[in-house]
Amino acid sequence: MAEGSTLTEAPRVLRVALLGGGTVGSQVARILLDDAEALAARAGARLELVGIAVRNVDAPRDVELPRELYTTDAESLVASADLVIELMGGIEPARTHIIAALRRGASVVTGNKALLAQDGATLFDEADAHGAELNFEAAVAGAIPIIRPIRESLSGDRITRVLGIVNGTTNFILDAMDTTGAQFEDVLAEAQRLGYAEADPTADVEGLDAAAKAAILASLAFHTRVTLEDVRCEGITGVTASDIAAAQDAGMTIKLLAIAELVPAGAAGDGVSVRVHPTLLPAKHPLAAVRGAYNAVFVEAENAGALMFYGAGAGGAPTASAIMGDVVTTARRIIAGSPGRAGTTRTLPIVGLESVTTSYSIGLEVADEPGVLSRVAQVFADHGVSIETMRQKLEQKIGRGEVLPAAEEGAHGAGRAELRFVTHRASEAALAATVADIKNLDVVESVTSVLRVEGI
Amino acid sequence: MAEGSTLTEAPRVLRVALLGGGTVGSQVARILLDDAEALAARAGARLELVGIAVRNVDAPRDVELPRELYTTDAESLVASADLVIELMGGIEPARTHIIAALRRGASVVTGNKALLAQDGATLFDEADAHGAELNFEAAVAGAIPIIRPIRESLSGDRITRVLGIVNGTTNFILDAMDTTGAQFEDVLAEAQRLGYAEADPTADVEGLDAAAKAAILASLAFHTRVTLEDVRCEGITGVTASDIAAAQDAGMTIKLLAIAELVPAGAAGDGVSVRVHPTLLPAKHPLAAVRGAYNAVFVEAENAGALMFYGAGAGGAPTASAIMGDVVTTARRIIAGSPGRAGTTRTLPIVGLESVTTSYSIGLEVADEPGVLSRVAQVFADHGVSIETMRQKLEQKIGRGEVLPAAEEGAHGAGRAELRFVTHRASEAALAATVADIKNLDVVESVTSVLRVEGI
């Protein structure tokens, strides 16, 4: 049998190097200094902060820390450390420092989602080759423990799907649109004023931040390699107040979801689809209740069923909590004499949206005259797309939320009407062909929105 | 620096013994046999099921497994295993077998909450002394990863409070009462018919099952030792349809919560309060949305803020998922050459309810005459208990949900009225004295309910 080794009980010291002194870095340093005693008890070793590498030693900081800790010489700091915490962000020089640490056998804790989404595989290989650990709980959904549950707690199960609200800015904006009925641009301006959105909000509102996290989640959930380039990404800039109102009428809400799922890939067996897009969810879905800037990740596994992990997705202290959990856990393993390993990976094919079926919500502006619904419905039927529900709203006649059950009945005026269809699951190809033909109908003024639906 | 060891890449075999062949055991065995290849890739070793110890080899089973795996000789099975999965439940002989395994240096995975709540400390000491691991994710909240997040992900933070819906039967019953307005007894009978409640429901409805889980959660969250005897426990048998209706009127819902919190214990510093009781929660609290037999654990930590973990709390497959996550993770560490350690514990004083302050909801049946509210309010004031809200309902005059804003106004008849108070935080002693004095008022017919409130 495997021989258990008795643990060393002598007090140990681990030299910890911190790269980056920004919002999260300052909080991590504060915790390392202030909670030294409790951390030592939990880690089995004193965690000695030997330095903080920054670009400018004299820059003003949020948190007051001993000045002598700061250095611009990240390379020397890494060369002297047992454990490196990388919080510089971006690709270089973070990547070079992480690889230097791993090659020395020093373990690394990072929250660098961009680097992991672009080049995680290289880093994991370096860690495995040199008996070091690479941990990154803070890279996805801030303080929410999601990486460790997927890597460890669910390692004996088969995850089939991950749906995540992993960007607080976009959830704040969509939630505010949902609550106030305001347009995207107005809510974005307010979010910027309140500090929930950056001056340049592109990475958030175009879904790029969520896409990096989707790549990381998909890699872990399906034990395969997924990079940012594999993620099909659509942001929330096209979501209108009218889309939100129509969703509410239908008992739904719109969320920007990072979706990773196992899908059949023909004879090859399983494939993986990874995508980020605005998605309609029924109001009773657990993710629909995630308000404001909160994050949540919903995981479906063969045996465990549905699980959800909820909490603060960003902020200095919450992210520092995730970093410190990794630091203590990594320290325990270093002290115990051997870091963990992630398990082998396979390479599953990445499947494009053309092979994925989802339900769709389609909004049309049509002439308010008899026979319109029948003609539109015929187009759906021609493409084999089956309709689950249809709602009609006569413009400027009845208020928002009041819906006529049957489009063909009642009096018709000279005005226009709005039709909202929700389809059964259909392929993107069938849907695109349906929408193209609907646009060509003379009774259709415009296709006002096409949104995907999950959870029905 | 700590020397990283290069991992052995040769194929390894770990001998796995399973104690218990019931609902969960059968599912665990099925997964070990059916998913052997995927598990080997993730664990870094083939997990060979060497036998299943049961009381009766010939008993009928849910899952068809090779008959030669069954044995009644648990002792020999344990003596030959690298990893033991204990799913017998109860105290003995489970305790003896677990200790025998740990003393041989074999790691153990168990879902035995009763044993852990009664004697976990002894088992952890044995594991540490012999370099073995003891993992128990399945013991609390079934498939939901909560033990590992608390032990590892939050090990660098300071947890201040844990609120858990950790018993599916009672949540099913309370949710059904909330939805249908029915009385406890009727809903319990229906839950028994549907298989959500046992023929003898005592352990569930009296809160004992939740109390064992509360003890385990408190021990982990606060790095201290808490046993079942330390948990103040009250079940849901006293919750009436009228309590539920009054909660709804106030925008709240009633849940059976396992509560563990750090509280000041005078000069000694921190103390711990652990309790299980029916609790009013505002409808917008994340735990209020946990319906049916689902479980969820809400954790508050100093840096992470509020986190919630949600999923299926029971059932063969979900519980087997939690067991298998522990099995794979433990196997990885055995292969890597060293099991983990839990970190040192301290011993915090257990604080009785007399030192804990909470808000309370108090229902009174009073004479419907002028001056009553003022006399009742004076009693609260005399004991320094401050009132947050008061609602009055005149019986048989107005329907449920219609509330008069001021008890002193309007016409009064010869009937009775119901008053519902919610207090600000008060000690149990002050509350008990208040209730005793209110009962003595001649205008008070009865105190219909006293419930604690969280999350406001």
Side-chain angles (χ1 to χ4, degrees):
Chain A
M1 68 154 291
E3 192 61 39
S5 60
T6 305
L7 299 168
T8 309
E9 293 298 342
R12 289 278 307 267
V13 176
L14 291 180
R15 295 170 58 82
V16 177
L18 179 56
L19 310 183
T23 312
V24 179
S26 302
Q27 295 290 338
V28 166
R30 173 186 63 78
I31 296 170
L32 280 167
L33 296 174
D34 289 358
D35 300 348
E37 201 180 326
L39 293 170
R42 295 184 207 161
R46 198 156 65 77
L47 304 176
E48 186 193 351
L49 178 59
V50 292
I52 308 173
V54 293
R55 260 178 301 209
N56 175 4
V57 168
D58 298 314
R61 318 266 169 210
D62 300 346
V63 180
E64 192 116 344
L65 297 168
R67 203 181 168 296
E68 64 272 20
L69 284 173
Y70 292 103
T71 172
T72 54
D73 184 2
E75 202 177 322
S76 301
L77 203 56
V78 168
S80 74
D82 300 313
L83 202 161
V84 174
I85 305 172
E86 185 276 307
L87 293 169
M88 310 175 107
I91 305 301
E92 285 297 350
R95 184 176 178 282
T96 299
H97 292 312
I98 289 175
I99 289 177
L102 295 173
R103 288 190 177 161
R104 292 182 54 250
S107 287
V108 174
V109 172
T110 178
N112 194 326
K113 57 185 175 286
L115 177 55
L116 289 165
Q118 180 179 308
D119 205 16
T122 303
L123 303 183
F124 294 126
D125 286 348
E126 290 284 354
D128 272 358
H130 298 91
E133 270 196 47
L134 176 63
N135 285 312
F136 50 97
E137 185 63 75
V140 179
I144 308 173
I146 181 64
I147 302 298
R148 193 176 307 279
I150 289 180
R151 282 175 107 181
E152 304 193 353
S153 307
L154 288 164
S155 59
D157 206 333
R158 183 169 181 267
I159 296 174
T160 51
R161 200 151 75 128
V162 179
L163 303 178
I165 295 173
V166 292
N167 180 272
T169 302
T170 47
N171 201 58
F172 178 89
I173 292 173
L174 291 174
D175 187 30
M177 290 175 72
D178 193 79
T179 309
T180 64
Q183 288 291 2
F184 170 76
E185 293 73 17
D186 300 328
V187 174
L188 172 60
E190 176 72 1
Q192 286 171 318
R193 202 181 61 75
L194 294 171
Y196 283 109
E198 309 267 352
D200 176 0
T202 313
D204 292 317
V205 299
E206 296 295 357
L208 306 175
D209 171 81
K213 294 164 180 172
I216 296 170
L217 287 173
S219 301
L220 296 174
F222 307 128
H223 312 277
T224 185
R225 294 187 169 176
V226 177
T227 68
L228 188 54
E229 287 70 48
D230 300 321
V231 183
R232 158 89 176 243
C233 177
E234 183 188 326
I236 64 164
T237 54
V239 177
T240 64
S242 152
D243 289 331
I244 302 263
Q248 287 176 345
D249 286 349
M252 306 228 256
T253 187
I254 300 181
K255 297 291 187 187
L256 182 69
L257 293 191
I259 302 176
E261 61 184 346
L262 277 189
V263 291
D270 288 335
V272 175
S273 165
V274 192
R275 52 195 198 272
V276 170
H277 54 64
T279 313
L280 287 165
L281 284 173
K284 65 177 190 298
H285 193 284
L287 285 172
V290 178
R291 316 304 297 262
Y294 274 91
N295 279 199
V297 182
F298 189 82
V299 178
E300 294 171 20
E302 222 161 63
N303 292 307
L307 300 169
M308 191 171 83
F309 305 79
Y310 166 97
T319 309
S321 170
I323 293 284
M324 289 307 304
D326 276 349
V327 167
V328 170
T329 310
T330 307
R332 280 180 193 158
R333 304 236 185 111
I334 294 173
I335 294 302
S338 86
R341 47 174 292 162
T344 57
T345 58
R346 50 189 177 167
T347 304
L348 295 179
I350 302 295
V351 171
L353 265 184
E354 67 285 354
S355 310
V356 176
T357 63
T358 40
S359 293
Y360 290 85
S361 162
I362 300 136
L364 305 180
E365 209 166 51
V366 298
D368 177 25
E369 56 184 57
V372 171
L373 175 58
S374 144
R375 291 182 60 195
V376 173
Q378 185 59 46
V379 177
F380 280 96
D382 290 347
H383 293 282
V385 176
S386 134
I387 297 168
E388 177 167 312
T389 60
M390 194 284 299
R391 285 161 181 265
Q392 179 180 230
K393 203 163 77 176
L394 299 184
E395 284 187 5
Q396 295 166 325
K397 289 192 178 167
I398 55 176
R400 190 179 117 187
E402 297 171 54
V403 167
L404 293 183
E408 299 304 313
E409 289 171 35
H412 293 276
R416 292 178 303 184
E418 194 184 322
L419 300 182
R420 286 268 171 181
F421 296 87
V422 174
T423 74
H424 285 287
R425 293 186 87 82
S427 72
E428 177 159 274
L431 199 277
T434 305
V435 170
D437 283 0
I438 285 175
K439 277 184 180 159
N440 286 334
L441 291 177
D442 54 7
V443 293
V444 172
E445 308 236 352
S446 65
V447 175
T448 54
S449 80
V450 178
L451 287 165
R452 294 178 189 84
V453 185
E454 294 286 347
I456 60 171
Chain B
M1 71 154 289
E3 192 60 40
S5 61
T6 305
L7 299 167
T8 309
E9 294 297 344
R12 290 276 308 266
V13 176
L14 291 180
R15 294 169 59 82
V16 178
L18 179 56
L19 310 183
T23 311
V24 178
S26 302
Q27 294 291 338
V28 166
R30 172 186 65 76
I31 296 170
L32 280 167
L33 297 175
D34 289 358
D35 300 348
E37 202 179 327
L39 293 171
R42 294 183 207 161
R46 197 157 66 76
L47 304 176
E48 187 192 350
L49 178 59
V50 293
I52 308 173
V54 292
R55 262 179 299 211
N56 175 3
V57 168
D58 298 314
R61 316 268 169 209
D62 300 346
V63 180
E64 192 117 346
L65 298 168
R67 203 181 168 297
E68 63 274 19
L69 284 174
Y70 292 102
T71 173
T72 54
D73 184 1
E75 201 178 323
S76 302
L77 203 55
V78 168
S80 74
D82 300 314
L83 201 162
V84 174
I85 305 172
E86 185 277 307
L87 294 169
M88 310 174 109
I91 305 300
E92 286 295 352
R95 185 176 178 281
T96 299
H97 292 312
I98 289 176
I99 290 178
L102 295 172
R103 288 190 176 162
R104 292 182 55 250
S107 288
V108 173
V109 172
T110 178
N112 194 327
K113 58 185 173 286
L115 177 55
L116 289 165
Q118 180 178 308
D119 204 16
T122 304
L123 303 183
F124 294 126
D125 287 347
E126 290 284 355
D128 272 358
H130 298 91
E133 270 195 46
L134 175 64
N135 285 312
F136 49 96
E137 186 62 76
V140 180
I144 308 173
I146 180 64
I147 302 298
R148 191 176 307 280
I150 289 180
R151 283 175 104 181
E152 305 193 352
S153 306
L154 289 164
S155 59
D157 206 334
R158 183 169 182 266
I159 296 175
T160 51
R161 201 150 75 126
V162 179
L163 302 179
I165 295 173
V166 292
N167 179 272
T169 302
T170 47
N171 202 57
F172 178 88
I173 291 172
L174 291 173
D175 188 31
M177 288 174 72
D178 193 80
T179 309
T180 64
Q183 288 290 2
F184 170 77
E185 293 73 17
D186 300 330
V187 174
L188 172 61
E190 178 71 2
Q192 286 172 318
R193 203 182 61 76
L194 294 171
Y196 285 108
E198 310 267 353
D200 176 1
T202 312
D204 292 319
V205 299
E206 297 295 356
L208 307 175
D209 172 80
K213 294 164 179 170
I216 296 170
L217 287 173
S219 302
L220 295 174
F222 306 128
H223 311 278
T224 184
R225 294 187 171 178
V226 177
T227 68
L228 188 54
E229 287 71 48
D230 299 322
V231 184
R232 158 91 176 240
C233 178
E234 181 188 329
I236 64 164
T237 54
V239 178
T240 64
S242 153
D243 290 330
I244 303 260
Q248 288 177 345
D249 286 349
M252 307 229 258
T253 186
I254 300 181
K255 296 291 188 189
L256 183 69
L257 293 192
I259 302 176
E261 59 185 348
L262 276 190
V263 291
D270 288 336
V272 175
S273 165
V274 192
R275 51 196 200 269
V276 170
H277 53 66
T279 314
L280 287 166
L281 283 173
K284 65 175 191 301
H285 193 283
L287 285 173
V290 177
R291 316 303 298 261
Y294 274 91
N295 280 200
V297 181
F298 189 83
V299 178
E300 294 171 20
E302 220 162 63
N303 292 306
L307 300 169
M308 191 173 82
F309 304 80
Y310 165 95
T319 309
S321 171
I323 293 283
M324 289 307 303
D326 275 348
V327 167
V328 170
T329 309
T330 307
R332 280 181 194 157
R333 305 235 185 110
I334 295 173
I335 293 303
S338 87
R341 48 175 292 165
T344 57
T345 58
R346 49 188 176 167
T347 304
L348 296 178
I350 302 295
V351 170
L353 265 184
E354 67 285 355
S355 311
V356 176
T357 63
T358 39
S359 294
Y360 290 85
S361 162
I362 300 135
L364 306 181
E365 207 165 53
V366 298
D368 177 24
E369 56 185 57
V372 171
L373 175 57
S374 144
R375 292 183 58 195
V376 173
Q378 186 58 47
V379 178
F380 280 96
D382 291 345
H383 293 281
V385 176
S386 132
I387 296 169
E388 177 165 313
T389 61
M390 192 286 298
R391 283 159 182 267
Q392 178 180 229
K393 205 163 76 177
L394 300 184
E395 283 189 6
Q396 297 168 324
K397 289 193 177 167
I398 56 175
R400 191 178 114 184
E402 296 172 53
V403 166
L404 293 184
E408 300 304 311
E409 292 171 35
H412 293 273
R416 293 178 303 187
E418 193 184 324
L419 300 183
R420 287 267 171 181
F421 295 87
V422 175
T423 72
H424 284 288
R425 294 186 86 83
S427 72
E428 177 159 274
L431 198 279
T434 306
V435 170
D437 283 0
I438 286 176
K439 277 185 181 160
N440 287 334
L441 292 177
D442 54 6
V443 293
V444 172
E445 308 237 350
S446 65
V447 175
T448 54
S449 79
V450 178
L451 287 166
R452 294 178 188 84
V453 185
E454 294 286 347
I456 60 171

